[in-house]
Amino acid sequence: MPDNQHILSSPYSQIPAAIVSLADYETHALPMLRTDIREYIDSGVADEITLRRNRSAFEQIGISPSLLQDFRQASTTTRLLGYPLAHPLLLAPVAHQRLVHTDGELATVRGAAALDTPMIVSTLASYRLEDIAASGHPNLWFQLYWQHNRENSLALVRRAEACGYRALVITLDAPVNGLRNRTQRSGFRLPAGVMEANLQGQPHPAPRPLDAHASVILNGFMVDAPTLADLQWLQANTRLPVLVKGVINPADALHFKELGLAGVIVSNHGGRTLDGLPSTIEVIAACRQAVGPDFPLLLDSGIRRGTDVFKALALGANAILIGRPQLHALTVAGALGVAHMLKLLRDELEITMALAGTPTLADIGPQSLLNLASPQTFAAFQPSL
């Protein structure tokens, strides 16, 4: 087992009584993490405009309750990619989880399974996708970062297929690893003992010769980024349903639907790639309008409360992804923390549904929301398209 000297504190064996929200997990996790690791996890890119907007945009949306509703058939169940879900929550792909806990993704997957929550496993996980699948969790998805060429990328996909992963998520808003690393605020480097386990043994691409006046970014890194042809080739070479993660533009969402993708994840990478992007809650309704009512549309980035989940569902999301909070919970209490964090979010969603008068997910819609930027009108929230 690799060393874990970078982990400052052992996780709690019981959930501290003071933790009653996802924000509490963040507060408890901060002193348990080394400063550089904390900054790597919680910071955004550049001036962190997108990072802040991911939260502030939710605060501009209010909830409009409907009273005297019949809750005898109430439920949070739904279906996604043909499979039943107990609630519309998934764990987003989050890399390098051994940064915060010795068991890393092996603990996270146990917490996810305990709450019947699908987990999307990152290419950059600190345990192999085979080891994570060995947990027996029945609903794992695999997230793919394009690996400079088709052969290396397909090798990862074949491994996921062999292990029983149910879906493939290709991330397109952070196209190549070198460029993704350059957008981080800090000079963070992985500590000894934490590795990208799925990529061990994979050959590194040879350095690309550049002319004296060529751009390292545009003519170097981006030459290896996946193209439309690569995406279509990937679709044709896997039996897994393929979803695209990193969509902000409604035109892109429609394009991916027309290409026959299985779904789209509306995401700005948690504010970690391009600064100045809108929040995902600001564009989800326009993406839903573009793709129509039946195309799977998920939302990532900024979810911290059950009310946030409710707002995302009301504006067109089929389900939402949880990113940073899973690391905070993993830091504090391992698998138990992840399970408890998900239960808090699930319970908050159910309380919101109860008090908003929406017995089922199908009852949640734009009529359930208000635009707090113009409270005197109390008009149904209709984001500009």
Side-chain angles (χ1 to χ4, degrees):
M1 178 67 67
D3 70 78
N4 59 354
Q5 295 180 3
H6 59 279
I7 299 176
L8 299 182
S9 302
S10 298
Y12 292 98
S13 58
Q14 294 182 329
I15 304 298
I19 294 182
V20 296
S21 70
L22 272 59
D24 292 334
Y25 268 110
E26 181 175 5
T27 299
H28 278 72
L30 292 180
M32 301 174 71
L33 296 174
R34 211 170 66 186
T35 300
D36 61 328
I37 294 174
R38 181 169 68 244
E39 291 181 353
Y40 169 73
I41 292 171
D42 285 344
S43 67
V45 69
D47 297 313
E48 299 189 329
I49 296 168
T50 301
L51 180 70
R52 293 191 298 272
R53 197 169 182 89
N54 279 341
R55 289 300 309 142
S56 64
F58 276 106
E59 297 171 3
Q60 298 303 310
I61 305 172
I63 297 173
S64 179
S66 179
L67 303 178
L68 297 177
Q69 300 302 309
D70 186 349
F71 276 79
R72 285 176 292 181
Q73 302 297 322
S75 173
T76 62
T77 58
T78 187
R79 296 185 70 84
L80 191 59
L81 303 185
Y83 296 101
L85 294 183
H87 45 75
L89 308 176
L90 296 86
L91 290 185
V94 176
H96 310 134
Q97 295 190 20
R98 280 204 79 249
L99 286 172
V100 303
H101 190 282
T102 302
D103 291 341
E105 293 84 359
L106 302 183
T108 300
V109 73
R110 293 197 301 272
L115 267 289
D116 199 14
T117 302
M119 176 179 175
I120 308 176
V121 175
S122 173
T123 292
L124 306 181
S126 44
Y127 283 93
R128 299 185 312 143
L129 61 92
E130 291 87 354
D131 298 328
I132 299 167
S135 69
H137 192 317
N139 197 353
L140 296 177
W141 301 9
F142 180 67
Q143 176 266 340
L144 175 68
Y145 280 125
W146 190 254
Q147 294 300 302
H148 301 286
N149 61 52
R150 293 179 174 184
E151 293 74 19
N152 290 350
S153 299
L154 188 60
L156 288 169
V157 173
R158 291 284 182 259
R159 289 168 60 188
E161 290 174 339
C163 292
Y165 285 71
R166 285 185 174 178
L168 179 67
V169 174
I170 180 167
T171 297
L172 295 183
D173 63 337
V176 288
N177 194 49
L179 182 58
R180 190 165 58 249
N181 287 344
R182 280 175 175 248
T183 63
Q184 300 297 338
R185 286 181 62 84
S186 69
F188 171 82
R189 295 291 182 271
L190 287 178
V194 179
M195 63 185 68
E196 296 167 348
N198 291 314
L199 304 183
Q200 297 305 300
Q202 189 176 102
H204 293 286
R208 186 178 302 279
L210 295 174
D211 295 336
H213 300 292
S215 165
V216 172
I217 294 174
L218 299 178
N219 308 115
F221 287 119
M222 288 305 295
V223 172
D224 291 323
T227 64
L228 175 59
D230 290 322
L231 178 62
Q232 292 176 306
W233 172 86
L234 184 66
Q235 283 181 273
N237 282 277
T238 179
R239 58 179 175 78
L240 297 177
V242 180
L243 299 90
V244 166
K245 181 174 180 286
V247 173
I248 288 292
N249 190 326
D252 283 336
L254 177 59
H255 187 205
F256 291 130
K257 177 188 177 182
E258 292 172 340
L259 289 174
L261 274 293
V264 158
I265 300 174
V266 178
S267 172
N268 57 35
H269 219 94
R272 294 171 67 86
T273 53
L274 178 61
D275 208 14
L277 292 174
S279 70
T280 54
I281 197 65
E282 291 175 299
V283 299
I284 186 69
C287 289
R288 172 54 70 197
Q289 183 180 45
V291 301
D294 300 323
F295 185 67
L297 200 61
L298 287 72
L299 180 141
D300 175 61
S301 305
I303 298 287
R304 295 296 184 273
R305 281 284 189 183
T307 48
D308 299 336
V309 179
F310 183 93
K311 294 170 186 178
L313 298 175
L315 291 174
N318 295 105
I320 62 91
L321 276 59
I322 305 299
R324 287 181 177 92
Q326 65 179 287
L327 287 185
H328 300 148
L330 181 65
T331 301
V332 173
L336 177 62
V338 173
H340 181 247
M341 179 271 295
L342 288 168
K343 183 178 186 301
L344 288 174
L345 202 59
R346 184 196 66 186
D347 289 350
E348 287 182 355
L349 173 60
E350 293 179 0
I351 291 169
T352 305
M353 291 172 64
L355 298 180
T358 52
T360 70
L361 302 186
D363 296 312
I364 305 172
Q367 76 283 352
S368 305
L369 304 181
L370 296 172
N371 183 357
L372 296 183
S374 302
Q376 69 277 12
T377 66
F378 291 95
F381 183 80
Q382 296 292 341
S384 58
L385 304 182

